[in-house]
Amino acid sequence: MVSRIGFLGVIARVFLWVFLLGLAVVVVYPLLWMVLNGFKTNSQLFGNPFALPVDWSFENYRKAWNRGVSDYLTTSVLVTVTSTVATVFVSAWAAYGLTRVKIPFSGFITGTILGGLMLAPSVALVPLVKMFQAMGLYNSFWALLILYTAFRVPFTTFLIRAYMLDLPREVDEAAEMDGCGRWTAFWHIILPMCKPIITSTVLLHILFAWNEYLFAMIFTSGSGVQTLPVGLMSLMSKHGTEFPVVFAGMTIAAIPVMLLFFFGQRYIVKGMADGIGK
């Protein structure tokens, strides 16, 4: 009986490893194929798209960079960083008020904020376009900053609030006895205690803002304010016959977020597990 259980355990482990290896191939191979095709010429790409490049030249990457990818990358970095700071700060401050401060109608306010999770961005596109055009913010950096912040605050607040709910109340009492105000207690005590969930929300928002396409396509039409997803589509329409250049631009766009996710995935999982678990 024991040997039978041991044999079944070995079989199960083999199937698990086969499944994981197959999943890794499905995920990694398209990325590797994209990177390798950035080194080819059009004739090599269409002649044998699955072969290795003949000449490992970075010419296609240089062309992609000079044809606008550098500007798109700068805009994406600027929008991503500013919207991340704004979203996490507003959400953390809101979560602190909802969990650590006694305010009237706190339950209603919490429900209203979390109700934003049910609002699909596509539903509000028409009134948002009209509103931003009337305010003179259409086709500007500020439009994306406001939209990315507003539509991510409910989700980020939900995660940080869930984490703060389980923090000991004695910390607030000790801070009050030491003469700390609300801002001091929040900035120097509560926020450092929320480092795991703050790290997770920062990484999650970066992944969202870096890859967001709908708002970036509709609310930016000038080349000076286009982010990478929209800029790469523009690059494809202008230079669609040079597919290796397009693949090179896609690789440049993917590298930062891939590195970020690779080095930060354990923080995402840990922060999400702690936040939802609490």
Side-chain angles (χ1 to χ4, degrees):
M1 185 67 181
V2 175
S3 60
R4 179 182 176 84
I5 294 176
F7 176 75
L8 293 176
V10 171
I11 295 296
R13 182 168 297 184
V14 169
F15 274 108
L16 178 61
W17 275 105
V18 170
F19 172 76
L20 293 176
L21 289 174
L23 185 62
V25 170
V26 171
V27 173
V28 173
Y29 180 74
L31 299 175
L32 183 61
W33 185 79
M34 176 183 69
V35 174
L36 293 177
N37 282 333
F39 291 97
K40 297 180 180 179
T41 62
N42 257 344
S43 59
Q44 294 172 10
L45 178 61
F46 287 103
N48 193 345
F50 301 104
L52 292 175
V54 177
D55 182 18
W56 295 83
S57 172
F58 285 90
E59 180 64 20
N60 292 325
Y61 289 87
R62 185 189 64 80
K63 287 182 180 179
W65 184 264
N66 293 332
R67 289 178 181 178
V69 172
S70 59
D71 296 330
Y72 305 143
L73 182 66
T74 301
T75 303
S76 285
V77 170
L78 185 60
V79 171
T80 301
V81 171
T82 52
S83 64
T84 299
V85 173
T87 300
V88 174
F89 177 78
V90 171
S91 300
W93 187 239
Y96 176 79
L98 294 172
T99 57
R100 322 302 289 187
V101 182
K102 292 182 180 180
I103 56 177
F105 309 107
S106 60
F108 174 77
I109 297 173
T110 302
T112 302
I113 294 176
L114 299 184
L117 292 170
M118 297 180 289
L119 178 64
S122 56
V123 175
L125 284 179
V126 175
L128 283 173
V129 169
K130 295 292 185 181
M131 182 178 71
F132 278 97
Q133 287 176 339
M135 298 171 62
L137 297 177
Y138 185 78
N139 193 30
S140 69
F141 161 80
W142 293 103
L144 294 182
L145 174 59
I146 294 172
L147 289 169
Y148 287 0
T149 302
F151 277 89
R152 293 297 289 184
V153 161
F155 176 68
T156 309
T157 302
F158 167 73
L159 293 180
I160 300 177
R161 174 182 173 272
Y163 193 92
M164 285 187 180
L165 282 173
D166 206 50
L167 295 180
R169 295 286 178 177
E170 292 79 7
V171 173
D172 301 83
E173 298 173 1
E176 187 177 353
M177 292 178 62
D178 289 339
C180 294
R182 293 292 185 189
W183 173 256
T184 303
F186 165 74
W187 189 255
H188 293 284
I189 300 176
I190 300 298
L191 207 58
M193 295 178 66
C194 296
K195 184 179 178 180
I197 194 64
I198 293 296
T199 303
S200 296
T201 53
V202 166
L203 294 174
L204 288 172
H205 185 87
I206 290 175
L207 293 175
F208 159 79
W210 191 264
N211 296 304
E212 200 281 326
Y213 180 77
L214 182 63
F215 285 147
M217 177 188 67
I218 294 176
F219 289 88
T220 60
S221 58
S223 58
V225 290
Q226 287 181 336
T227 58
L228 274 168
V230 180
L232 289 175
M233 289 297 297
S234 176
L235 181 68
M236 186 178 297
S237 62
K238 292 178 182 177
H239 309 283
T241 55
E242 295 186 76
F243 287 102
V245 176
V246 176
F247 283 123
M250 294 169 64
T251 302
I252 295 173
I255 287 175
V257 73
M258 287 172 59
L259 292 175
L260 178 71
F261 184 77
F262 180 78
F263 290 106
Q265 58 181 327
R266 67 187 185 96
Y267 297 104
I268 297 177
V269 173
K270 184 179 185 302
M272 291 283 289
D274 290 347
I276 296 176
K278 292 175 184 294

